[in-house]
Amino acid sequence: MIEERTRKTRSDKKKDIKPTINLKLHECIYRLSYITNKPVKDVGVHICMAGLESQKVIELLSNNFRRTYKMNSTVYFGDLNKSGLKIKKGEGIKRRITLRFVQSSFDQIAELAFALDVTPSSATAILLDAAVRNTDVVNNYLKEYVEETLDNNRMRELKEVLDYINKNNPYDEEITLSSLVRYLFEDLMDGTRNITKVIGNWLDKYK
């Protein structure tokens, strides 16, 4: 008699969520992937999780909560009288993106979806859009990447240059790392995929 074995589910098994997002957001995620040379699915998951940890992002989304949502020690009370937040179909070009979350992260997305009264897929699309629009989220993501890949001397030079530009900036807008990367994106598109090399070249020209 052949004994049947039940295959155990891995505790670290990831779950797919496939949100449909607008074309501009889709291009933004792919652009971040291109700049940092990381898979789209990893970029999307990172942005989502950073959004869930951002007070600004959650406060923005809380305007649409139909059920109670808790973030750390803060409780956002939902209101079932609010009209449900739906992803409108047929408005502009849409693209589907596949993201893979570990179970604990998937559970967080599910909690957000419950509060918004939408599916996990729609909640992920809403979260991605809100997180990408928050400059702190994108700037921190790019800052972490650059700090990991740029050597200490170059990183010190970069910070000094940005500090100098901002101290002598006659405008009210602060020059952040993310705005610098957007400025240098044309150089990346010319074929230099290594952002650290592009920043290094820019520093050499600036000095």
Side-chain angles (χ1 to χ4, degrees), residues 63-66 79-86 115-118:
N63 295 322
N64 300 105
F65 286 167
R66 300 192 74 213
D79 183 358
L80 285 172
N81 292 319
K82 290 181 179 179
S83 58
L85 184 62
K86 304 295 182 183
L116 289 168
D117 196 19
V118 297

Side-chain angles (χ1 to χ4, degrees), residues 14 29 38-46 97-100:
K14 295 184 178 182
I29 299 299
K38 292 187 178 181
V40 169
K41 59 183 178 61
D42 292 347
V43 174
V45 169
H46 184 103
I97 187 172
T98 299
L99 306 179
R100 305 192 73 194

Side-chain angles (χ1 to χ4, degrees), residues 144-194:
E144 287 176 11
Y145 174 76
V146 171
E147 287 179 342
E148 289 174 359
T149 55
L150 210 63
D151 65 66
N152 291 334
N153 290 333
R154 281 301 201 185
M155 195 65 213
R156 194 180 304 112
E157 286 182 6
L158 178 60
K159 288 179 179 178
E160 289 176 356
V161 168
L162 290 178
D163 286 343
Y164 174 80
I165 292 175
N166 286 317
K167 285 179 181 177
N168 295 275
N169 191 348
Y171 310 102
D172 294 330
E173 184 180 1
E174 180 184 4
I175 305 300
T176 63
L177 185 56
S178 59
S179 60
L180 173 62
V181 170
R182 287 196 297 272
Y183 171 75
L184 297 174
F185 186 70
E186 292 301 319
D187 289 338
L188 284 165
M189 292 301 291
D190 286 341
T192 307
R193 287 200 60 173
N194 190 330

Side-chain angles (χ1 to χ4, degrees), residues 5-70:
R5 294 185 179 180
T6 302
R7 179 177 295 179
K8 293 183 179 180
T9 302
R10 287 173 49 183
S11 59
D12 62 343
K13 184 179 180 181
K14 295 184 178 182
K15 302 190 71 169
D16 288 354
I17 298 182
K18 301 178 180 181
T20 300
I21 57 180
N22 66 63
L23 182 60
K24 287 187 177 180
L25 178 57
H26 187 272
E27 290 178 345
C28 181
I29 299 299
Y30 270 77
R31 183 171 291 186
L32 287 171
S33 169
Y34 184 90
I35 289 173
T36 57
N37 197 26
K38 292 187 178 181
V40 169
K41 59 183 178 61
D42 292 347
V43 174
V45 169
H46 184 103
I47 296 296
C48 280
M49 300 316 297
L52 286 173
E53 295 173 2
S54 168
Q55 196 81 33
K56 290 182 180 180
V57 171
I58 297 302
E59 285 183 359
L60 176 65
L61 296 180
S62 69
N63 295 322
N64 300 105
F65 286 167
R66 300 192 74 213
R67 298 188 181 90
T68 300
Y69 182 84
K70 184 177 181 181

Side-chain angles (χ1 to χ4, degrees), residues 98-114:
T98 299
L99 306 179
R100 305 192 73 194
F101 294 88
V102 297
Q103 186 63 52
S104 58
S105 299
F106 180 88
D107 292 342
Q108 288 182 264
I109 296 289
E111 289 177 9
L112 180 66
F114 183 74

